[in-house]
Amino acid sequence: MVPDVRDRNDQIGLQMKLLTEYLERALQLESLADGEPDSTFRTELLKQAASYRKLAIKRAEQYGLPNPSPPPAGKPNGASTSRHVSGYLQSTEDL
């Protein structure tokens, strides 16, 4: 039996949706941390963001995709206000 192309496309779409949602959540948390005056709470937000980024890396590896880009450098505490979630790197980097 030949697999249905639509089923495969639906599966890929779901996989990308999950990966994108992890990255979007990480960006939201990083953005919140960027404007947070309480350093303890800011640190907790960044820890959560890092966890979502690790989940995104795990999913990308499961799907045979390159790892997502790390948060942009130069922002305080690694925070990012970028909304770009589809950029990928070819190499593995620790977050």
Side-chain angles (χ1 to χ4, degrees):
M1 180 177 218
V2 177
D4 187 52
V5 173
R6 286 178 296 178
D7 290 341
R8 177 73 177 138
N9 288 341
D10 288 345
Q11 183 181 12
I12 292 170
L14 179 60
Q15 293 170 348
M16 290 305 296
K17 182 177 185 248
L18 290 171
L19 182 58
T20 301
E21 287 174 355
Y22 288 146
L23 293 172
E24 286 177 346
R25 187 64 179 150
L27 288 168
Q28 289 171 347
L29 290 163
E30 290 163 354
S31 181
L32 286 171
D34 193 28
E36 178 55 51
D38 181 340
S39 64
T40 303
F41 186 51
R42 181 175 51 246
T43 299
E44 291 302 315
L45 290 169
L46 291 173
K47 284 181 185 177
Q48 287 183 29
S51 294
Y52 275 99
R53 286 188 175 276
K54 287 178 184 177
L55 285 171
I57 288 171
K58 183 177 178 181
R59 286 278 183 202
E61 289 171 354
Q62 287 175 342
Y63 303 151
L65 299 170
N67 286 330
S69 300
K75 283 292 206 176
N77 301 311
S80 167
T81 55
S82 171
R83 295 293 303 148
H84 182 74
V85 297
S86 60
Y88 286 91
L89 293 178
Q90 293 298 321
S91 63
T92 304
E93 294 186 29
D94 293 332
L95 295 177

